[in-house]
Amino acid sequence: MTQTPETPLLELRDLRVEFALPTQTVHAVRGVNLSLEAGKTLCIVGESGCGKSVTARAIMQLLDPPGRIAAGQILYHQDSAVLDVAAMDPRGKPVRALRGREMGMIFQEPMASLSPVHTIADQVGEGMRYHFGLTKKEALTRVLALLHQVGLANPERVAESYPFQLSGGMLQRCMIALALACQPRILIADEPTTALDVTTQAQILELMQQLQADTGTAIILITHDLGVVAEIADTVAVMYLGEVVEYGPVTDIFADPRHPYTQALMKSVLRVDVPRVPGSRLETIDGMVPSAATVTPGCAFASRCPEAMAGVCDRQRPQTMLINQQHSTACHRRVAEAQQPAPTAAYARRA
Ligand SMILES: Nc1ncnc2c1ncn2[C@@H]1O[C@H](COP(=O)(O)OP(=O)(O)O)[C@@H](O)[C@H]1O
Ligand code: SF4
Ligand SMILES: [Mg+2]
């Protein structure tokens, strides 16, 4: 299929990820459908444990063992070809050709993802040498330019440093440089600023936006910060216990959230008794996300939902319904409301 502005760059279709542990199976991602268009930003939000990171890692085939893609497709539209990343061997050459080159990832914890025994120059330059066949010297020239581009004041010194010699903010910028080294078409950033101070957070997000404007990179950003979502998302996916419960353009999600979980998330950041500091986390909804090892027939949010309908929500899994062409949700209440007959003109006049 030829890439057109309407063709998504990436599509997740009914993606399922499981971790088969000795005592139980964790169903971390349960049938996720998402799409990302070239040059756009998709934000994934939801409380801890809802499957955001696992979804992101699955896209790169970087799941920690024993995690595996149990079902579904991850379709990557590469020029005239469509590749199903889900069907690739996580250790095989085809997926290594995509990683770094076509998709870059920024992890939450740079220290955990950078090698402690290699210099920044070696790590940031590795992808350029692997994918473009650059010599070490050629790669270094580009590494220095990139370190400068991500706002590091002294690229030469940073390049020859080992990770333990740098601050958290500097390391996160190095991670961004590494993720961008081969100019990937998709940048996946998993809570890239959570561990940083507010000023550095703002700088890193600005940097990502600037790079997107310059290079047209599509971004998947996982964040707890709805303020950031409002500012930079084109599209928002709200995840709860491994499912996307609401999905749509950022304006629709903020102006007209339809799923009770999205509504609760919105209220949690507007509560007056909770300090509204930038970067504040979504941990103010009563109750807890159930264990991802639990499988119930009904709606996963039923135990916390103020609108739950006994006998319905606890028994049947809600199907995704369209609110409009781009906005969808999975909730029995919304289906029931949509099925209510619209009041006739005469009735409406009497009412
Ligand atoms: N390596 C792992 N082994 C077992 N379970 C895991 C592993 N990684 C993630 N999980 C489980 O998968 C679920 C989704 O996790 P995650 O995607 O990290 O959530 P989020 O990023 O939304 O906070 C959680 O229940 C988590 O405990
Ligand atoms: S399906 Fe039922 S329990 Fe689930 S969010 Fe909708 S109203 Fe609440
Ligand atoms: Mg996570």
Side-chain angles (χ1 to χ4, degrees), residues 19 21 26 28 46-55 64-66 190-191 292:
F19 293 85
L21 305 178
V26 173
E47 292 161 291
S48 290
C50 284
K52 306 179 300 293
S53 296
V54 171
T55 301
D64 290 327
D190 188 358
E191 303 197 37

Side-chain angles (χ1 to χ4, degrees), residues 64-200:
D64 290 327
R68 65 172 195 108
I69 295 173
Q73 294 178 304
I74 299 170
L75 301 180
Y76 178 64
H77 295 255
Q78 186 186 43
D79 305 322
S80 55
V82 184
L83 309 175
D84 182 5
V85 182
M88 292 178 183
D89 173 358
R91 286 167 299 279
K93 219 171 171 186
V95 84
R96 278 189 284 133
L98 291 180
R99 267 187 223 134
R101 175 73 192 94
E102 306 280 331
M103 305 178 192
M105 184 148 177
I106 305 171
F107 299 90
Q108 183 174 349
E109 255 311 319
M111 262 315 220
S113 7
L114 291 168
S115 159
V117 296
H118 293 99
T119 62
I120 295 298
D122 280 350
Q123 298 186 58
V124 177
E126 188 189 354
M128 298 171 188
R129 299 200 299 275
Y130 177 78
H131 292 294
F132 302 139
L134 299 191
T135 63
K136 212 168 172 179
K137 204 171 159 202
E138 288 165 338
L140 181 61
T141 308
R142 283 176 64 168
V143 167
L144 294 175
L146 206 53
L147 293 178
H148 175 72
Q149 198 187 350
V150 298
L152 285 158
N154 192 340
E156 285 81 7
R157 191 178 68 74
V158 173
E160 63 195 26
S161 301
Y162 291 89
F164 73 88
Q165 296 173 303
L166 303 172
S167 71
M170 290 164 100
L171 285 175
Q172 199 58 308
R173 287 171 197 268
C174 291
M175 273 286 302
I176 297 181
L178 195 156
L180 295 171
C182 299
Q183 298 191 334
R185 292 204 296 160
I186 300 176
L187 179 65
I188 303 173
D190 188 358
E191 303 197 37
T193 61
T194 308
L196 304 175
D197 64 85
V198 174
T199 313
T200 315

Side-chain angles (χ1 to χ4, degrees), residues 259-260 299 301-302 305 307-308 313 318 331-333:
H259 194 280
C299 169
F301 191 55
C305 179
E307 296 188 62
C313 298
C331 173
H332 289 304
R333 274 279 177 202

